[in-house]
Amino acid sequence: MLWLYRFIIGFLEVEFSGDIAEKILNICAKNGISLWNTKRKGAKIRCLITVRDFKALPKITVKSGIRVHILKKHGLPFIERKYKNRFGIPIGAALFFAILAFMSRFVWSVEVCGNKSVPESEIIAACNKIGIYEGISKKDIDPKNARQKLLLETDKLAWASLNIEGCRLTVNVTEIGEKVDINTPTNLKATADGIITKIDVTSGNCVVKVGDTVAKGDLLVSGILENASGTRFVHSSGSVTAKTEREITVSAQYKRKEINKTGKTNKKSVLSVFGIKIPLYLGKENKSFEAHAKVENLSLLGKRLPIRVYTKIFEYTEEKEVTLGKKELEKELERLFYEQTELENIGDFEVKNREIDEIEGGMSLKMLISAEENIENQEIILFNTGN
């Protein structure tokens, strides 16, 4: 703190010479003048002294035969004097604080909290559609109205709130659960054609039995219970297993095009300020490529700024035509078939019939498979309240 005080009021590095220079130490001590960092240089003495104490030296060194010489000047007063005619510095500082004050009226960043399965980018896109974006004036935001618009814009959110903290807008959300409320009346319906092999119903009125043949969309378990006391609606639950059969057909060509990476890459960046994108490159990509992008958010003192750098990485590719042999094409058909079974979420299955046919330019594989799987699906009971 003492150093800061001396820097603010200014201090000097001086050199004392003359008759017995050490006398200045006694004279200064007697008159309450502080000297520090005192060093001897031959017959001379060098030290530091404040500007205020230096001004008092002429009175106390009269007729002492001691001479004083200023070597260096330190501190704020000398810095101010040095730059007082350089108008660019104070003007620049004034402009900086003026721009900072003006920019503080706007939202610098929009951040999402509370989301788990819904991507942040999807919620940000919904905010943009309702007029909430980086760069919007804070006075133009009505949090209550924006909250209602956001819930109407997306059907994946159960609750939302918008809070402005400084130049940051935080969107707090709660997602809609995937599970149906156990208090909601539901039916169980078939998701595929099949023959019922097993029933395990814990709630609801089962309208089928083992051995029955059902079609996709048929009612399996009803959530409507009727008895002598009246009608009651319940949440149907349980599992219904059936033996199903389905035919899956896939096809492929002998000649196909393959895209391979050449190993050459290129990077291009775009600077985004309040959503305004400024390309940091020239020209367009004329070659074929695969691309992926990364985003870098700039921050200051832990606070996100409305400035982003989008970097797109281009991996150049080349296209080649490949001709498959018959065995290779059969392996390709097998691969496509198993991909389709995974897509349809079929577990263990048995192949009942397998046919491979030649088609124009290629082959097709048709397989009849049998599986035992759960075919129940919950469906909410809708009530018609119209007259």
Side-chain angles (χ1 to χ4, degrees):
M1 293 300 293
L2 179 60
W3 179 89
L4 180 60
Y5 168 73
R6 289 169 175 170
F7 178 82
I8 292 173
I9 64 173
F11 62 93
L12 306 168
E13 183 179 349
V14 297
E15 183 179 75
F16 293 104
S17 60
D19 299 337
I20 313 176
E22 289 86 345
K23 286 197 306 183
I24 192 64
L25 302 177
N26 296 327
I27 293 172
C28 289
K30 185 178 178 180
N31 290 274
I33 294 176
S34 298
L35 303 175
W36 70 96
N37 286 7
T38 305
K39 298 177 183 177
R40 173 177 284 279
K41 294 289 182 179
K44 300 176 181 179
I45 291 179
R46 290 184 180 182
C47 62
L48 300 177
I49 184 173
T50 63
V51 173
R52 184 180 61 186
D53 288 343
F54 178 80
K55 291 178 180 179
L57 286 179
K59 294 181 181 180
I60 65 175
T61 58
V62 176
K63 298 180 181 180
S64 66
I66 297 175
R67 296 181 298 277
V68 60
H69 177 65
I70 299 175
L71 301 177
K72 292 182 181 179
K73 299 177 180 180
H74 305 275
L76 192 59
F78 303 107
I79 296 175
E80 183 182 1
R81 187 179 303 172
K82 182 179 179 181
Y83 293 104
K84 69 177 182 179
N85 293 324
R86 299 187 182 182
F87 301 106
I89 294 176
I91 292 174
L95 284 174
F96 171 76
F97 288 108
I99 293 172
L100 191 63
F102 175 75
M103 296 292 284
S104 65
R105 300 179 182 180
F106 300 90
V107 171
W108 287 17
S109 64
V110 179
E111 300 176 15
V112 178
C113 296
N115 60 311
K116 293 180 181 178
S117 60
V118 183
E120 180 180 357
S121 58
E122 187 175 329
I123 298 175
I124 294 293
C127 288
N128 290 337
K129 287 183 180 180
I130 65 172
I132 302 297
Y133 50 87
E134 291 179 354
I136 187 174
S137 175
K138 291 191 285 188
K139 68 178 183 179
D140 293 336
I141 300 175
D142 182 354
K144 186 176 180 180
N145 186 36
R147 167 190 173 277
Q148 295 173 344
K149 287 183 178 180
L150 180 60
L151 294 177
L152 291 173
E153 183 64 33
T154 175
D155 57 359
K156 297 180 180 179
L157 302 179
W159 174 85
S161 70
L162 283 76
N163 301 311
I164 301 175
E165 302 170 359
C167 293
R168 181 178 64 176
L169 174 66
T170 304
V171 183
N172 300 288
V173 300
T174 299
E175 300 171 354
I176 294 176
E178 294 183 358
K179 294 183 179 179
V180 180
D181 188 349
I182 60 172
N183 296 317
T184 302
T186 58
N187 293 324
L188 296 183
K189 290 190 175 182
T191 58
D193 301 347
I195 300 173
I196 305 296
T197 59
K198 184 179 178 181
I199 299 174
D200 184 13
V201 174
T202 57
S203 178
N205 179 27
C206 185
V207 297
V208 294
K209 61 183 182 296
V210 174
D212 285 354
T213 300
V214 295
K216 182 178 179 179
D218 283 355
L219 179 65
L220 304 175
V221 180
S222 174
I224 303 174
L225 300 179
E226 295 183 353
N227 50 40
S229 59
T231 302
R232 188 162 58 96
F233 298 93
V234 299
H235 179 85
S236 299
S237 60
S239 63
V240 178
T241 306
K243 187 174 183 180
T244 62
E245 284 189 356
R246 68 188 75 190
E247 192 176 79
I248 297 178
T249 303
V250 293
S251 61
Q253 301 293 309
Y254 283 109
K255 291 183 179 181
R256 68 180 184 183
K257 293 180 179 179
E258 287 186 353
I259 297 176
N260 300 311
K261 295 179 181 179
T262 64
K264 296 181 179 181
T265 61
N266 189 21
K267 293 182 180 180
K268 291 185 177 181
S269 299
V270 173
L271 180 67
S272 175
V273 182
F274 282 117
I276 300 173
K277 294 185 177 180
I278 305 169
L280 304 179
Y281 62 89
L282 297 174
K284 296 181 178 180
E285 292 295 333
N286 297 319
K287 301 178 182 179
S288 59
F289 59 84
E290 291 181 4
H292 61 275
K294 63 178 182 178
V295 182
E296 182 181 0
N297 292 289
L298 301 186
S299 59
L300 179 65
L301 301 176
K303 301 295 183 181
R304 187 186 295 181
L305 298 176
I307 303 172
R308 291 187 178 92
V309 178
Y310 295 86
T311 302
K312 199 169 186 178
I313 302 171
F314 297 86
E315 296 182 286
Y316 296 118
T317 60
E318 58 183 3
E319 190 177 79
K320 292 183 178 180
E321 189 175 82
V322 178
T323 302
L324 301 178
K326 189 171 183 179
K327 289 185 178 180
E328 291 176 319
L329 189 57
E330 287 181 1
K331 289 182 179 179
E332 178 66 11
L333 291 171
E334 292 280 351
R335 185 186 66 81
L336 292 174
F337 165 74
Y338 282 105
E339 278 188 359
Q340 188 62 32
T341 60
E342 290 180 5
L343 187 64
E344 295 185 22
N345 199 28
I346 303 172
D348 296 334
F349 59 87
E350 178 187 356
V351 177
K352 307 289 286 187
N353 188 37
R354 183 177 187 273
E355 293 180 11
I356 293 182
D357 296 318
E358 292 284 342
I359 60 174
E360 185 178 353
M363 300 170 66
S364 70
L365 171 64
K366 181 168 66 175
M367 298 184 77
L368 178 65
I369 62 173
S370 173
E372 197 162 344
E373 55 186 310
N374 291 337
I375 62 169
E376 79 285 345
N377 180 55
Q378 276 192 344
E379 186 176 283
I380 297 174
I381 299 175
L382 300 177
F383 298 93
N384 184 4
T385 57
N387 294 323

